[in-house]
Amino acid sequence: MPVWFVMLQMSVVRGSEADNGSSEFIPSAYALGYLTIDGLFFYLQSISAYKLMDLVSPVTHSVTNCVKRALLIWISVLFWHNKVGPINAAGTFVLLGGVLLYNHQLRQKNPQPSLEKSPDIKSLETDGERDEESEPLNKNNDD
């Protein structure tokens, strides 16, 4: 059960009671709408997490999740003026520093390719004309 369900005012959650005065629980349209939206977003978050795991390593996914959590803390501080103690602030800065070091080491291990065009790409940038000396589009290994 979501925490917001327990924390909401009962007038929002309960909706209308039965006409005969019984205390039968009938959820309001707002509560059902909140549950539907909550479930939809959780489903989309789960699907995007699985798709992301196909693209990056589990360590990178975990590091990205930590950055997301730190950014959410600082966004809540900026927008809602939540109080953050000095130890919590230092912890988020240590986290961000660790992420920067991780990213630096990852780039040193796997350097980015140069932005210059490679000869293969240049050969694809013709006006739609193909040389007769070039290889056929469909290669068959039947030879």
Side-chain angles (χ1 to χ4, degrees), residues 2-143:
V3 173
W4 66 262
F5 192 75
V6 176
M7 302 299 287
L8 275 179
Q9 298 174 2
M10 286 308 291
S11 62
V12 173
V13 176
R14 184 173 298 273
S16 62
E17 293 189 15
D19 291 336
N20 60 6
S22 68
S23 61
E24 180 182 351
F25 179 74
I26 303 170
S28 71
Y30 288 117
L32 293 176
Y34 290 151
L35 280 173
T36 302
I37 291 171
D38 184 43
L40 177 68
F41 280 130
F42 182 75
Y43 172 76
L44 292 174
Q45 187 269 336
S46 298
I47 294 297
S48 63
Y50 280 115
K51 290 293 184 182
L52 185 64
M53 287 294 284
D54 286 342
L55 300 174
V56 297
S57 72
V59 174
T60 303
H61 186 266
S62 178
V63 168
T64 306
N65 192 28
C66 289
V67 170
K68 178 191 75 168
R69 290 171 187 256
L71 287 177
L72 286 175
I73 290 170
W74 286 108
I75 288 171
S76 73
V77 168
L78 293 175
F79 284 122
W80 294 291
H81 306 290
N82 290 341
K83 301 290 183 191
V84 174
I87 293 176
N88 291 342
T92 57
F93 286 122
V94 167
L95 175 118
L96 292 175
V99 168
L100 290 174
L101 287 174
Y102 172 76
N103 193 21
H104 178 70
Q105 290 292 14
L106 189 65
R107 287 183 186 260
Q108 280 187 347
K109 183 179 176 185
N110 301 325
Q112 296 288 328
S114 66
L115 296 176
E116 296 177 11
K117 295 180 180 178
S118 67
D120 295 332
I121 293 176
K122 287 181 183 177
S123 65
L124 294 174
E125 292 179 347
T126 61
D127 293 330
E129 300 173 9
R130 296 188 62 234
D131 295 337
E132 278 129 38
E133 297 174 2
S134 64
E135 297 179 18
L137 292 177
N138 296 326
K139 294 181 182 179
N140 293 331
N141 292 332
D142 298 333
D143 297 327

